[in-house]
Amino acid sequence: QVQLVQSGGGLVQAGGSLSLSCAASGRDFRIASMSWYLQAPGKTRDLVASIGSGGSTTYANSVKGRFTISRDNAKNTVYLRMNSLIPEDTAVYYCSVDYLGARYWGQGTQVTVSS
């Protein structure tokens, strides 16, 4: 059974930082691409950042230079470090794993940035 368990997030003032983590279990996710998405109220779920099995990363333009995605393959865990947060970053953040064509999702974590 695949499980993605998220932790972190919360409330922070603009300019502050938060970290998210997502621990995956049930498969050997070393070969999987791992990602973070966000979904603001009334909007679609959009890609924030992704990291391939070899460590290559991609970022949405809106977070480049502020967010950093990383992974620890020994722990099957993906991280998102968010710096210089702005109110527009407020959303529910979801981790996701693409494993052999199947996509799995975490439970979601609220991130709220106050102005």
Side-chain angles (χ1 to χ4, degrees):
Q1 180 182 355
V2 174
Q3 267 195 315
L4 275 65
V5 178
Q6 298 180 217
S7 60
L11 173 65
V12 67
Q13 288 189 330
S17 299
L18 285 173
S19 293
L20 305 177
S21 63
C22 173
S25 61
R27 297 287 188 275
D28 182 0
F29 289 109
R30 288 176 296 176
I31 64 171
S33 173
M34 309 180 86
S35 305
W36 289 97
Y37 288 73
L38 65 79
Q39 187 166 20
K43 296 191 176 181
T44 59
R45 190 172 298 186
D46 296 327
L47 179 68
V48 176
S50 64
I51 184 166
S53 58
S56 60
T57 58
T58 59
Y59 294 93
N61 287 335
S62 60
V63 307
K64 280 181 181 176
R66 300 189 298 122
F67 291 11
T68 302
I69 188 171
S70 61
R71 64 190 292 167
D72 183 336
N73 287 334
K75 297 180 179 179
N76 270 347
T77 299
V78 61
Y79 305 95
L80 187 68
R81 176 65 176 176
M82 304 180 289
N83 295 327
S84 302
L85 284 158
I86 59 177
E88 290 76 14
D89 295 323
T90 295
V92 177
Y93 284 70
Y94 296 90
C95 66
S96 178
V97 173
D98 184 353
Y99 181 80
L100 299 180
R103 181 164 293 280
Y104 303 93
W105 296 95
Q107 80 273 21
T109 301
Q110 178 68 46
V111 170
T112 303
V113 185
S114 63
S115 57

